[in-house]
Amino acid sequence: MTVQKCRVQGVFMAVSEMGAAPTVLLDIGGESMVPIYIGLWEAISISNALNSEVLPRPITHDLIIEVFRNFEIALDALHIDALDGGVFYAKLMLRQGSRTEMMDCRPSDGIAIALRYPAPIMIEDTVIEAAAVKKADLPQLVDLKEYL
């Protein structure tokens, strides 16, 4: 298993003749990107994190970060480690003192949390091979904030 670090390029609405879908775009370097289609609320949360927007009341991802900080839990990384039947899988790599845990999570939630922490986002090479799309072949992408 080989992983590489990626970065969130942005959150978009992928627009096609079939409709529009919230999409987080992972930059893996080079000519390809990994699009992950996600829920609208997760897309808004990721967009807020990318733009350093803090809401007056904490949403779930903000609450998780506060729990991590208050209980001295370190988030070492988000590891996007599988793609099965079009569904992405990920794990939060957590540490508290000498104890380490890997917790299953949806990649969209993991990305929203990792951006807030901040922690690196890692992606398995096999996932990249299966999911990477050349930039020229991506559907029409409209920035989420513009779309909404």
Side-chain angles (χ1 to χ4, degrees):
M1 288 196 307
T2 307
V3 297
Q4 72 179 52
K5 189 173 182 180
C6 63
R7 74 175 190 82
V8 177
Q9 175 72 29
V11 184
F12 304 92
M13 291 299 283
V15 181
S16 72
E17 62 279 349
M18 302 279 292
T23 307
V24 62
L25 206 55
L26 301 180
D27 186 346
I28 53 174
E31 294 300 313
S32 297
M33 307 285 263
V34 174
I36 301 178
Y37 300 98
I38 61 176
L40 180 60
W41 297 115
E42 292 81 4
I44 291 169
S45 180
I46 292 169
S47 178
N48 287 348
L50 286 171
N51 294 307
S52 301
E53 293 177 14
V54 179
L55 300 174
R57 300 279 299 149
I59 61 172
T60 305
H61 300 121
D62 298 320
L63 176 63
I64 290 170
I65 294 302
E66 283 303 307
V67 169
F68 286 178
R69 291 192 175 128
N70 287 332
F71 287 91
E72 298 179 359
I73 299 170
L75 175 58
D76 291 333
L78 170 68
H79 184 177
I80 301 171
D81 60 351
L83 176 61
D84 185 20
V87 177
F88 289 85
Y89 293 84
K91 291 181 178 62
L92 293 172
M93 314 300 275
L94 302 170
R95 181 176 34 84
Q96 185 182 44
S98 62
R99 179 180 175 192
T100 60
E101 292 286 335
M102 295 188 323
M103 296 190 76
D104 183 39
C105 70
R106 297 183 307 173
S108 56
D109 290 324
I111 291 167
I113 293 166
L115 289 172
R116 283 170 169 78
Y117 188 78
I121 299 170
M122 310 300 287
I123 188 166
E124 186 77 36
D125 284 343
T126 56
V127 175
I128 292 171
E129 290 169 16
V133 176
K134 293 199 178 301
K135 292 175 184 174
D137 295 334
L138 288 167
Q140 177 188 353
L141 298 170
V142 178
D143 185 84
L144 181 69
K145 289 193 173 278
E146 291 177 30
Y147 188 87
L148 298 176

